[in-house]
């Protein structure tokens, strides 16, 4: 059976068909290699988590409350430098105020408070002297204590980072007030570390001290 048509010998046409078949085979092979080269190796996996997420701080696991080291914060200006005070400047040499020449009182807010809450103690220091006198109001001289049934639970001295001195001059009747914040998770005597559990419901007392002058104890309540 002859499958060639034309003036040439059959071998010429067979060679032409072979060349066409080889060309088609080469094209198919090149196409297959191209497809394999583009999809054969997978890119490295990229995390779906945004880059910023890896820089987020770890969750805080400390007990709630006031985490920073507490300190005394003056709530009213220095009485010797307040323009509204109607008196002459203090003399160059002001005698120290004796304990009988100042009054120290303390109040608590809130009271009652709640378990795990933070409480602000307001300490007022008033001169009862008849003339100018001076008193050290630095962190080394001031202290607040939290007690329960007379037993010490907390002292601000345990969290004091430095015992500084700050001598202030008082005219007769001058007053200055300080605030101190206490976390009810600070309940271990002689230790500033936050406890795992806060002070439990009950009645507590706070006492303020300025040097050797100590206020009367004041009750405050913690409720559930």
């Amino acid at each position: 059976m002859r499958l060639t048509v034309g003036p040439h010998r059959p071998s010429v046409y067979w060679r032409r068909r072979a060349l066409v078949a080889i060309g088609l085979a080469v094209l198919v092979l090149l196409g297959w290699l191209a497809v394999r080269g583009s999809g054969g190796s997978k890119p490295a996996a990229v995390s779906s988590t945004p880059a910023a997420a890896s820089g987020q701080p770890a969750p805080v696991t400390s007990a709630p409350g006031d985490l920073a080291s507490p300190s005394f914060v003056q709530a009213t200006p220095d009485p010797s430098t307040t323009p509204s005070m109607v008196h002459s400047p203090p003399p160059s040499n002001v005698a120290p105020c004796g304990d009988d020449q100042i009054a120290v009182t303390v109040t608590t807010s809130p009271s009652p408070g709640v378990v795990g809450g933070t409480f602000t103690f307001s300490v007022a220091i008033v001169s009862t002297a008849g003339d100018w006198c001076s008193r050290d109001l630095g962190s080394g001289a001031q202290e607040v204590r939290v007690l329960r049934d007379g037993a010490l639970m907390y002292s601000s001295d345990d969290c004091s980072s430095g015992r500084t001195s700050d001598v202030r001059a008082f005219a007769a009747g001058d007053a200055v007030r300080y605030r101190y914040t206490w976390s009810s998770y600070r309940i271990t005597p002689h230790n500033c570390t936050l406890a795992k559990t806060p002070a439990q419901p009950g009645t507590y007392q706070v006492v303020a001290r300025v040097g050797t002058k100590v206020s009367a104890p004041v009750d405050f309540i913690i409720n559930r």
Side-chain angles (χ1 to χ4, degrees):
M1 178 179 180
R2 295 181 64 186
L3 300 176
T4 59
V5 177
H8 302 290
R9 289 179 297 175
S11 60
V12 173
Y13 296 102
W14 283 114
R15 283 195 298 270
R16 290 177 179 176
R17 293 190 181 100
L19 290 173
V20 172
I22 291 171
L24 291 174
V26 170
L27 290 175
V28 171
L29 178 61
L30 291 175
W32 179 77
L33 289 174
V35 172
R36 183 182 180 186
S38 63
S41 59
K42 295 181 180 180
V46 178
S47 172
S48 61
T49 303
S54 62
Q56 292 178 353
V60 177
T61 56
S62 302
D66 180 27
L67 301 181
S69 295
S71 60
F72 288 94
V73 177
Q74 187 172 335
T76 55
D78 182 344
S80 64
T81 60
T82 305
S84 60
M85 296 290 185
V86 184
H87 50 58
S88 60
S92 56
N93 295 318
V94 179
C97 301
D99 285 351
D100 61 341
Q101 294 177 304
I102 61 170
V104 178
T105 58
V106 60
T107 58
T108 305
S109 178
S111 182
V114 296
V115 170
T118 299
F119 296 80
T120 299
F121 303 135
S122 182
V123 180
I125 305 155
V126 182
S127 171
T128 59
D131 202 350
W132 284 95
C133 66
S134 63
R135 190 76 181 206
D136 185 1
L137 303 181
S139 60
Q142 292 200 59
E143 179 193 16
V144 292
R145 305 170 190 162
V146 177
L147 308 97
R148 187 173 191 186
D149 298 329
L152 179 67
M153 291 184 58
Y154 173 79
S155 167
S156 60
D157 284 351
D158 298 331
C159 288
S160 178
S161 58
R163 304 295 181 87
T164 62
S165 177
D166 183 14
V167 178
R168 305 290 184 93
F170 287 79
D174 279 354
V176 64
R177 189 180 300 273
Y178 290 82
R179 292 192 305 269
Y180 189 91
T181 301
W182 173 68
S183 166
S184 58
Y185 282 86
R186 286 194 167 98
I187 55 175
T188 305
H190 315 299
N191 192 334
C192 188
T193 304
L194 294 166
K196 292 183 179 180
T197 56
Q200 296 304 296
T203 301
Y204 296 79
Q205 296 80 40
V206 60
V207 174
R209 177 183 63 82
V210 179
T212 53
K213 180 71 171 185
V214 181
S215 74
V218 174
D219 289 349
F220 68 98
I221 297 172
I222 297 178
N223 288 335
R224 290 190 183 278

